[in-house]
Amino acid sequence: RATEDDQPNLGFSMAPHWARFSVVNLAHEPLVLLYQYANIDYVDLFIVHKNGTIYHGSSGDHVPFYQRTVPHRYPVFPLDISRGETAWCYVEVRNEQGAMFPLSLGTDKSFDQFDRGERMVTGLLLGVFIVVILFNFLFFFATGDRAYLYYVLFAFSYLVYELAFRGIGGEYLWPRNTWIDDQVLVTLL
């Protein structure tokens, strides 16, 4: 059924959910479809062109990085749609934690700008956490007060949670072990 929501949230369900929409390429650059949630188990994109050819791409945090359509922490799909062409896109989402459709369509250049800005902010956030952890760890050694050690453990667990939630851990630390993101999120939440 049709929805008017910008980012429909379909709740918790093990069943696959589908979205269908048409795309008309009016840009002079390649188009990209971005699923803006790193912890989705599986996202499959099917593009049906007017001539009958079908493109299929897979991504998600249960798909190892070397098997993803685009090796990125978010599910990203290049849309091979010629300028002026209209094609139908079908997106299948399967997730144990709930299904939503935070899809964004843009040019390759706009995606690169978005990604660069988000990586900068995320890097600053994670850098602050690392400084806080090191600072409190030094205080623990200097004073022997266990409260600093407990804070270090709390801040470190939150840092690992953020790495898993934002898909950075799966991208850089455990790219071949897709189960770790789910376990970290459940354990440290």
PDB file of all heavy atoms in Angstrom, residues 9 15 18 40-41 44 53 59 92 94 96 109 113 122 132 134 175:
ATOM      1  N   ASN A   9       8.388   3.720   8.874  1.00  0.00           N
ATOM      2  CA  ASN A   9       8.876   2.788   9.885  1.00  0.00           C
ATOM      3  C   ASN A   9       7.815   1.708  10.023  1.00  0.00           C
ATOM      4  O   ASN A   9       6.687   1.985  10.412  1.00  0.00           O
ATOM      5  CB  ASN A   9       9.106   3.514  11.206  1.00  0.00           C
ATOM      6  CG  ASN A   9       9.758   2.627  12.233  1.00  0.00           C
ATOM      7  OD1 ASN A   9       9.755   1.403  12.141  1.00  0.00           O
ATOM      8  ND2 ASN A   9      10.338   3.256  13.240  1.00  0.00           N
ATOM      9  N   ALA A  15       9.487 -10.576   8.582  1.00  0.00           N
ATOM     10  CA  ALA A  15       9.080 -10.691   7.182  1.00  0.00           C
ATOM     11  C   ALA A  15       9.796  -9.641   6.337  1.00  0.00           C
ATOM     12  O   ALA A  15      10.097  -8.550   6.810  1.00  0.00           O
ATOM     13  CB  ALA A  15       7.567 -10.499   7.061  1.00  0.00           C
ATOM     14  N   TRP A  18       8.893  -4.521   1.185  1.00  0.00           N
ATOM     15  CA  TRP A  18       9.248  -4.048  -0.147  1.00  0.00           C
ATOM     16  C   TRP A  18       8.807  -2.613  -0.344  1.00  0.00           C
ATOM     17  O   TRP A  18       7.789  -2.185   0.205  1.00  0.00           O
ATOM     18  CB  TRP A  18       8.564  -4.912  -1.214  1.00  0.00           C
ATOM     19  CG  TRP A  18       9.133  -6.288  -1.339  1.00  0.00           C
ATOM     20  CD1 TRP A  18       8.811  -7.375  -0.579  1.00  0.00           C
ATOM     21  CD2 TRP A  18      10.123  -6.709  -2.262  1.00  0.00           C
ATOM     22  NE1 TRP A  18       9.538  -8.455  -0.984  1.00  0.00           N
ATOM     23  CE2 TRP A  18      10.350  -8.081  -2.031  1.00  0.00           C
ATOM     24  CE3 TRP A  18      10.831  -6.080  -3.275  1.00  0.00           C
ATOM     25  CZ2 TRP A  18      11.260  -8.818  -2.762  1.00  0.00           C
ATOM     26  CZ3 TRP A  18      11.735  -6.816  -4.010  1.00  0.00           C
ATOM     27  CH2 TRP A  18      11.952  -8.170  -3.751  1.00  0.00           C
ATOM     28  N   ILE A  40      21.033  -2.388   9.117  1.00  0.00           N
ATOM     29  CA  ILE A  40      19.984  -3.165   8.457  1.00  0.00           C
ATOM     30  C   ILE A  40      20.618  -4.491   8.022  1.00  0.00           C
ATOM     31  O   ILE A  40      21.732  -4.506   7.507  1.00  0.00           O
ATOM     32  CB  ILE A  40      19.373  -2.388   7.266  1.00  0.00           C
ATOM     33  CG1 ILE A  40      18.110  -3.052   6.758  1.00  0.00           C
ATOM     34  CG2 ILE A  40      20.377  -2.176   6.166  1.00  0.00           C
ATOM     35  CD1 ILE A  40      16.929  -2.868   7.646  1.00  0.00           C
ATOM     36  N   ASP A  41      19.917  -5.597   8.272  1.00  0.00           N
ATOM     37  CA  ASP A  41      20.506  -6.905   7.980  1.00  0.00           C
ATOM     38  C   ASP A  41      20.742  -7.099   6.482  1.00  0.00           C
ATOM     39  O   ASP A  41      21.852  -7.406   6.054  1.00  0.00           O
ATOM     40  CB  ASP A  41      19.613  -8.028   8.511  1.00  0.00           C
ATOM     41  CG  ASP A  41      19.566  -8.053  10.032  1.00  0.00           C
ATOM     42  OD1 ASP A  41      20.429  -7.418  10.666  1.00  0.00           O
ATOM     43  OD2 ASP A  41      18.667  -8.708  10.580  1.00  0.00           O
ATOM     44  N   ASP A  44      18.193  -5.363  -0.622  1.00  0.00           N
ATOM     45  CA  ASP A  44      18.382  -5.754  -2.017  1.00  0.00           C
ATOM     46  C   ASP A  44      17.675  -4.742  -2.901  1.00  0.00           C
ATOM     47  O   ASP A  44      16.543  -4.355  -2.623  1.00  0.00           O
ATOM     48  CB  ASP A  44      17.805  -7.145  -2.278  1.00  0.00           C
ATOM     49  CG  ASP A  44      18.656  -8.240  -1.669  1.00  0.00           C
ATOM     50  OD1 ASP A  44      19.821  -8.348  -2.073  1.00  0.00           O
ATOM     51  OD2 ASP A  44      18.164  -8.963  -0.783  1.00  0.00           O
ATOM     52  N   THR A  53      15.814  -5.262 -19.027  1.00  0.00           N
ATOM     53  CA  THR A  53      16.968  -5.715 -18.253  1.00  0.00           C
ATOM     54  C   THR A  53      16.762  -5.400 -16.777  1.00  0.00           C
ATOM     55  O   THR A  53      16.137  -4.407 -16.416  1.00  0.00           O
ATOM     56  CB  THR A  53      18.279  -5.062 -18.741  1.00  0.00           C
ATOM     57  OG1 THR A  53      18.166  -3.648 -18.595  1.00  0.00           O
ATOM     58  CG2 THR A  53      18.576  -5.436 -20.174  1.00  0.00           C
ATOM     59  N   SER A  59      23.279  -5.468  -0.178  1.00  0.00           N
ATOM     60  CA  SER A  59      24.078  -4.847   0.854  1.00  0.00           C
ATOM     61  C   SER A  59      23.415  -5.122   2.203  1.00  0.00           C
ATOM     62  O   SER A  59      22.437  -5.844   2.277  1.00  0.00           O
ATOM     63  CB  SER A  59      24.205  -3.338   0.608  1.00  0.00           C
ATOM     64  OG  SER A  59      25.224  -2.800   1.425  1.00  0.00           O
ATOM     65  N   GLU A  92      14.014  -4.417  -1.315  1.00  0.00           N
ATOM     66  CA  GLU A  92      13.593  -5.394  -0.310  1.00  0.00           C
ATOM     67  C   GLU A  92      14.456  -5.206   0.930  1.00  0.00           C
ATOM     68  O   GLU A  92      15.682  -5.137   0.841  1.00  0.00           O
ATOM     69  CB  GLU A  92      13.758  -6.821  -0.823  1.00  0.00           C
ATOM     70  CG  GLU A  92      13.347  -7.856   0.211  1.00  0.00           C
ATOM     71  CD  GLU A  92      13.721  -9.277  -0.181  1.00  0.00           C
ATOM     72  OE1 GLU A  92      14.579  -9.456  -1.060  1.00  0.00           O
ATOM     73  OE2 GLU A  92      13.142 -10.199   0.417  1.00  0.00           O
ATOM     74  N   ARG A  94      15.154  -6.706   4.863  1.00  0.00           N
ATOM     75  CA  ARG A  94      14.956  -7.747   5.875  1.00  0.00           C
ATOM     76  C   ARG A  94      15.822  -7.395   7.068  1.00  0.00           C
ATOM     77  O   ARG A  94      17.018  -7.147   6.927  1.00  0.00           O
ATOM     78  CB  ARG A  94      15.348  -9.118   5.325  1.00  0.00           C
ATOM     79  CG  ARG A  94      14.384  -9.622   4.264  1.00  0.00           C
ATOM     80  CD  ARG A  94      14.865 -10.891   3.626  1.00  0.00           C
ATOM     81  NE  ARG A  94      15.932 -10.539   2.688  1.00  0.00           N
ATOM     82  CZ  ARG A  94      16.944 -11.323   2.371  1.00  0.00           C
ATOM     83  NH1 ARG A  94      17.066 -12.503   2.908  1.00  0.00           N
ATOM     84  NH2 ARG A  94      17.854 -10.929   1.504  1.00  0.00           N
ATOM     85  N   GLU A  96      16.045  -8.040  11.618  1.00  0.00           N
ATOM     86  CA  GLU A  96      15.518  -8.599  12.857  1.00  0.00           C
ATOM     87  C   GLU A  96      15.090  -7.511  13.832  1.00  0.00           C
ATOM     88  O   GLU A  96      14.231  -7.734  14.669  1.00  0.00           O
ATOM     89  CB  GLU A  96      16.560  -9.497  13.522  1.00  0.00           C
ATOM     90  CG  GLU A  96      16.838 -10.765  12.768  1.00  0.00           C
ATOM     91  CD  GLU A  96      17.881 -11.632  13.459  1.00  0.00           C
ATOM     92  OE1 GLU A  96      18.258 -11.321  14.606  1.00  0.00           O
ATOM     93  OE2 GLU A  96      18.299 -12.619  12.849  1.00  0.00           O
ATOM     94  N   LYS A 109      28.125  12.958  -6.638  1.00  0.00           N
ATOM     95  CA  LYS A 109      28.815  14.090  -6.010  1.00  0.00           C
ATOM     96  C   LYS A 109      28.143  14.486  -4.690  1.00  0.00           C
ATOM     97  O   LYS A 109      28.823  14.734  -3.695  1.00  0.00           O
ATOM     98  CB  LYS A 109      28.834  15.284  -6.974  1.00  0.00           C
ATOM     99  CG  LYS A 109      29.597  16.471  -6.479  1.00  0.00           C
ATOM    100  CD  LYS A 109      29.617  17.584  -7.520  1.00  0.00           C
ATOM    101  CE  LYS A 109      30.357  18.783  -7.029  1.00  0.00           C
ATOM    102  NZ  LYS A 109      30.361  19.863  -8.023  1.00  0.00           N
ATOM    103  N   GLN A 113      29.788  14.411  -0.835  1.00  0.00           N
ATOM    104  CA  GLN A 113      29.777  15.551   0.096  1.00  0.00           C
ATOM    105  C   GLN A 113      29.128  15.162   1.421  1.00  0.00           C
ATOM    106  O   GLN A 113      29.639  15.496   2.492  1.00  0.00           O
ATOM    107  CB  GLN A 113      29.049  16.733  -0.528  1.00  0.00           C
ATOM    108  CG  GLN A 113      29.801  17.386  -1.650  1.00  0.00           C
ATOM    109  CD  GLN A 113      28.977  18.460  -2.348  1.00  0.00           C
ATOM    110  OE1 GLN A 113      27.760  18.519  -2.223  1.00  0.00           O
ATOM    111  NE2 GLN A 113      29.658  19.313  -3.100  1.00  0.00           N
ATOM    112  N   THR A 122      31.648  12.272  12.748  1.00  0.00           N
ATOM    113  CA  THR A 122      31.819  11.004  13.456  1.00  0.00           C
ATOM    114  C   THR A 122      33.246  10.862  13.966  1.00  0.00           C
ATOM    115  O   THR A 122      33.464  10.414  15.097  1.00  0.00           O
ATOM    116  CB  THR A 122      31.463   9.822  12.528  1.00  0.00           C
ATOM    117  OG1 THR A 122      30.117   9.978  12.098  1.00  0.00           O
ATOM    118  CG2 THR A 122      31.616   8.507  13.239  1.00  0.00           C
ATOM    119  N   VAL A 132      38.750  11.160  26.191  1.00  0.00           N
ATOM    120  CA  VAL A 132      38.129  11.002  27.509  1.00  0.00           C
ATOM    121  C   VAL A 132      38.553   9.686  28.147  1.00  0.00           C
ATOM    122  O   VAL A 132      38.872   9.624  29.342  1.00  0.00           O
ATOM    123  CB  VAL A 132      36.584  11.093  27.393  1.00  0.00           C
ATOM    124  CG1 VAL A 132      35.911  10.600  28.653  1.00  0.00           C
ATOM    125  CG2 VAL A 132      36.165  12.521  27.091  1.00  0.00           C
ATOM    126  N   LEU A 134      41.330   7.887  27.536  1.00  0.00           N
ATOM    127  CA  LEU A 134      42.741   7.961  27.914  1.00  0.00           C
ATOM    128  C   LEU A 134      42.961   8.859  29.131  1.00  0.00           C
ATOM    129  O   LEU A 134      43.729   8.521  30.043  1.00  0.00           O
ATOM    130  CB  LEU A 134      43.582   8.449  26.728  1.00  0.00           C
ATOM    131  CG  LEU A 134      43.670   7.495  25.539  1.00  0.00           C
ATOM    132  CD1 LEU A 134      44.413   8.158  24.383  1.00  0.00           C
ATOM    133  CD2 LEU A 134      44.334   6.193  25.944  1.00  0.00           C
ATOM    134  N   PRO A 175      35.399  -6.541   9.208  1.00  0.00           N
ATOM    135  CA  PRO A 175      34.646  -6.549   7.943  1.00  0.00           C
ATOM    136  C   PRO A 175      34.178  -7.933   7.484  1.00  0.00           C
ATOM    137  O   PRO A 175      33.220  -8.043   6.734  1.00  0.00           O
ATOM    138  CB  PRO A 175      35.631  -5.952   6.935  1.00  0.00           C
ATOM    139  CG  PRO A 175      36.966  -6.194   7.510  1.00  0.00           C
ATOM    140  CD  PRO A 175      36.792  -6.146   9.006  1.00  0.00           C
TER     141      PRO A 175
END
